[in-house]
Amino acid sequence: MKPAGGRKQWILVFLGFFLVFSAWSVAAPYDAPPDEVQHGIRAVGVLSGEIVPKPAQIIWGVNNAGAGAYQRVPEGLFHPARCWGFYPDQPASCQEPLSGGKLIDAPTSAGRYNPLYYAAVGLPLKLWPSWGGLVLSRLISSALSAALLAWAFISLLRWSRYGLMLAGLLASATPMLAHLAGAVNPNGLEITAGIALFCGGIPLLLGAPGSRSKSSLVWLAGTGAVLLAPLRSLGPLWLGCALVALLIPQSRTHLQHLWSQRLVRRWTYGIAASLAFAVAWVFISKAGELVPPADGRFHYGLAQAALIYFASWEIFLQGMVGVAGWFDIFMPLPFYWMWVCPVAALVIFALTVGTWKDRWRFFVLFLGGFVAPGILQVSQANVTGFIIGGRYMLPLLVGMPLLGAYIVERRILNAKQSHSMTKLFCLLLVPSHLVLLIYAMVRWQRGAYRGAHPQPGLGRLNPFVGSWHPPTGSVLPLVAMVIGLAVLTVMFWRGPALAAALGDPEVEAGQEGAPAPEATAERRADSTDGVSSEDPRVPLPDRVS
C-alpha cells in the first residue's frame, strides 16, 4: 500500500533510488556483490521447485566447508569469481561469461535460506541464465527496495515535525545498501525493511495518540516488520530488538488506543505469523547450522576473540557505509567520516537531550545491533573465523539515525535549523554514492589501485578503461547514478518544504473509537508551551536562539 497523496513525490523518490540501485545492477560482474553466486543459485533452485532442499555440508572453495545445500541449476551459474575475487590487482576479465549449459547439482551456502526473497527476484535468472537475466533479477531487487524507501519518504513528510527525519532516512540509505539492493542478495531488502519498520514505527509508537489517522504508518511499519523477520536467519533477532526498543517502555494508554484499532490488530497478527514462520524455517531447514573446519585452523581464546571483535569497530563502520565487492573496494577515508560524523552527531545530541526512555531505546538498539552479533561471533570464532561485517548489523542499527532525528527535531531544533541540517546531510552524504561506484568500476575493470607499479594520478580512476566492461557499457551505470543522485538531492533538499503540499493525512473511514480520555493528558505532556505534538507540522516556539 502506497500512502494516499504525494503521488508525484513518491514516483520521483522511487525513480531516484531505483536509478542509484540500478547503477550497481548494470556495473557489477556476476558474483562481484557479496556472495551473489550463492544467492543466484538459490534463486534459480527455488524457482525450479527446490524450495526445501536436503541440508548438506558443502565445499565452495579450497578447504572452505560450510552448511548449505545443493540446487540443480544450469552449469554456467556456478562461476564464482575465483580468478579475481581474492586478487585485488586482477580485473574481472578472467571470469567466464555468465551462461546456461547442462544442469548440475551446484553447492550453495544459501541453500537453506528462506525462499521468499528468491521467489520474488529469481524468475528472470531462471528463464535467461545470462547477463540479461541477471540484470533483470537485480533490477527487481532494486525496485523492491526503492519502493519501500519512497514510501518511507512520503510517510516522513507527513509525520516528521520539521522534516529532520528525512536526514535520518538519507543517512540510513548508505552506499552499502545501494550496492546490496542492486544485487541478488536478500541483505539489501533486509536493510530496507528495517528502515521501513523504523520510519513507520517511530512516529506511530512514540508520537502522542490522537484523532488523526495513522493508517499509512501502520501499513509501512507492518510491511517492514513482516519482511524483516524471514529474509535472513538473524531476522527474528532484529525484529525482536526493534519491537522491544519501540514498545518498552511505552504508555499503556497509547498501546490501548492503538490496539483498539482493527488495522493495528490485523497487522499484529500478521507480524506474529511472519515471525513464527521465520523461526520455524531456521529450525526446520537448519539454516543456522555451522560446520567446523576440517583442519581446525582457528585457535582463538575467548578473551582474544572478544578483543579482536571489539577492536574491529572501524571495519564495522566502513562496512556499514560502503565497502564493495569482495571487501576490497574502499573509498578514501574522509568519505567515511563525512558519513559517520553527522550520524554520530544526531545520536549524541539525542542522547543528551532525550529522556531516559529515549536512552533506553538506543541502548536496546546497541545491544541488538552490535553486542548480540558479537556474542555469536566470539562464541563461534573457531568455527567460522571472523565473518561478521558492518552490513549484517544495518537492519537494526538504521534505527539509530532515524530515532536520533526524531528526538532532536522535537527537543532542540526549530524548523529553520532542522531544514538547514537536512540540507547539510545532502551535501555531506550524497557524493559518497558516486565515489564508491567509481572506485568499484575501476577495480572490476582494471584492478585495484595498488600493486607493484601503480599508475599515479587521477587517470588511474578513469572508469571508462580496462580489460573488462559491463556488457551494457561503462557509461550507463554512471549516467544512472548521476541522474538518480540529482533527483534524490532535489527531493531531500526540498523535503521539509514539500510537507505542506500533501495536505492532511488520509482519514480512515472505518477507524474505530475515539482516543481515550487519558490521551489528552499525554498530548499535553508531549507538547511545548501548550501546543500539542499531535500534528507534526504545527509550528512550535523557537527553543534555540
Side-chain angles (χ1 to χ4, degrees):
M1 173 183 174
K2 180 171 69 63
R7 186 183 303 273
K8 178 181 177 181
Q9 289 81 6
W10 186 92
I11 292 174
L12 287 173
V13 176
F14 169 80
L15 178 64
F17 277 119
F18 180 71
L19 287 174
V20 169
F21 300 161
S22 64
W24 288 99
S25 298
V26 298
Y30 183 44
D31 203 31
D35 303 318
E36 188 174 51
V37 70
Q38 313 294 335
H39 297 297
I41 292 172
R42 176 60 171 153
V44 174
V46 168
L47 268 297
S48 300
E50 296 180 321
I51 297 174
V52 190
K54 181 181 178 180
Q57 294 184 14
I58 63 172
I59 302 292
W60 66 82
V62 178
N63 295 324
N64 191 2
Y70 288 86
Q71 307 262 238
R72 195 156 185 81
V73 300
E75 183 179 22
L77 290 179
F78 186 51
H79 283 315
R82 292 174 180 168
C83 68
W84 60 271
F86 292 108
Y87 307 98
D89 296 329
Q90 173 65 51
S93 53
C94 65
Q95 186 177 15
E96 297 181 39
L98 180 61
S99 61
K102 65 180 181 179
L103 296 180
I104 64 169
D105 291 323
T108 169
S109 59
R112 306 182 192 181
Y113 285 14
N114 196 295
L116 293 181
Y117 169 81
Y118 304 102
V121 306
L123 184 59
L125 193 56
K126 172 177 169 51
L127 296 178
W128 306 288
S130 62
W131 175 259
L134 173 65
V135 169
L136 287 176
S137 288
R138 288 173 171 178
L139 291 178
I140 293 174
S141 186
S142 300
L144 292 174
S145 291
L148 278 178
L149 292 178
W151 187 358
F153 180 90
I154 294 300
S155 294
L156 294 184
L157 283 185
R158 296 158 148 253
W159 294 100
S160 177
R161 169 170 287 166
Y162 298 133
L164 185 59
M165 286 190 73
L166 294 175
L169 174 59
L170 188 62
S172 301
T174 67
M176 191 73 234
L177 168 59
H179 181 36
L180 294 167
V184 179
N185 189 322
N187 196 188
L189 187 59
E190 179 191 30
I191 297 168
T192 309
I195 294 174
L197 170 59
F198 284 107
C199 285
I202 289 174
L204 175 68
L205 295 171
L206 305 189
S211 58
R212 295 178 64 203
S213 170
K214 295 183 179 180
S215 62
S216 62
L217 296 179
V218 176
W219 277 90
L220 178 61
T223 301
V226 167
L227 289 176
L228 180 60
L231 283 172
R232 290 172 64 88
S233 299
L234 289 179
L237 172 64
W238 304 142
L239 178 58
C241 291
L243 294 179
V244 168
L246 294 175
L247 290 172
I248 304 173
Q250 187 59 261
S251 163
R252 179 182 298 180
T253 300
H254 194 176
L255 294 178
Q256 289 175 343
H257 173 63
L258 290 172
W259 188 251
S260 68
Q261 301 175 36
R262 182 182 305 167
L263 181 63
V264 172
R265 295 196 300 271
R266 288 177 175 175
W267 269 110
T268 301
Y269 301 144
I271 294 170
S274 176
L275 181 60
F277 171 64
V279 173
W281 182 271
V282 170
F283 281 99
I284 293 174
S285 68
K286 300 180 180 179
E289 182 182 5
L290 301 174
V291 178
D295 57 1
R297 63 184 179 274
F298 301 125
H299 302 282
Y300 297 106
L302 186 63
Q304 180 188 16
L307 287 174
I308 291 174
Y309 182 81
F310 181 76
S312 302
W313 63 271
E314 186 175 6
I315 297 175
F316 296 144
L317 289 176
Q318 288 179 323
M320 293 178 200
V321 177
V323 178
W326 289 59
F327 210 75
D328 59 358
I329 302 172
F330 293 82
M331 297 181 289
L333 196 57
F335 288 96
Y336 291 102
W337 290 113
M338 286 168 61
W339 204 287
V340 171
C341 289
V343 174
L346 274 182
V347 174
I348 291 172
F349 280 129
L351 287 170
T352 303
V353 303
T355 65
W356 279 106
K357 289 184 179 182
D358 298 326
R359 298 180 188 118
W360 155 261
R361 294 186 174 99
F362 280 113
F363 181 65
V364 172
L365 294 179
F366 174 75
L367 284 180
F370 183 77
V371 177
I375 293 173
L376 294 174
Q377 173 65 93
V378 170
S379 66
Q380 301 297 321
N382 291 326
V383 177
T384 64
F386 285 86
I387 60 173
I388 294 292
R391 66 185 178 93
Y392 295 123
M393 306 172 183
L394 275 178
L396 186 60
L397 294 184
V398 291
M400 283 196 168
L402 290 164
L403 179 59
Y406 177 86
I407 295 169
V408 167
E409 72 176 353
R410 277 165 165 73
R411 297 285 181 177
I412 58 176
L413 297 188
N414 57 29
K416 182 178 180 180
Q417 293 159 347
S418 296
H419 295 183
S420 296
M421 182 172 283
T422 303
K423 294 175 181 178
L424 179 62
F425 269 61
C426 290
L427 295 175
L428 292 176
L429 305 187
V430 168
S432 298
H433 285 275
L434 180 60
V435 171
L436 185 61
L437 178 66
I438 291 175
Y439 272 75
M441 292 178 65
V442 169
R443 184 267 176 269
W444 294 327
Q445 294 173 189
R446 60 192 302 186
Y449 178 65
R450 57 187 177 189
H453 303 287
Q455 300 178 19
L458 293 177
R460 178 64 185 175
L461 294 177
N462 185 351
F464 300 109
V465 299
S467 59
W468 183 87
H469 291 278
T472 45
S474 296
V475 175
L476 180 61
L478 292 170
V479 171
M481 178 64 75
V482 169
I483 295 177
L485 292 178
V487 172
L488 290 178
T489 299
V490 171
M491 296 304 295
F492 278 88
W493 190 279
R494 299 179 56 213
L498 289 174
L502 289 178
D504 291 331
E506 64 195 311
V507 177
E508 193 173 331
Q511 189 174 9
E512 297 179 14
E518 295 85 355
T520 304
E522 182 155 342
R523 285 197 296 271
R524 284 198 300 268
D526 194 30
S527 64
T528 301
D529 295 337
V531 182
S532 170
S533 65
E534 179 186 330
D535 189 339
R537 294 195 299 273
V538 172
L540 299 186
D542 289 355
R543 283 151 284 180
V544 179
S545 60

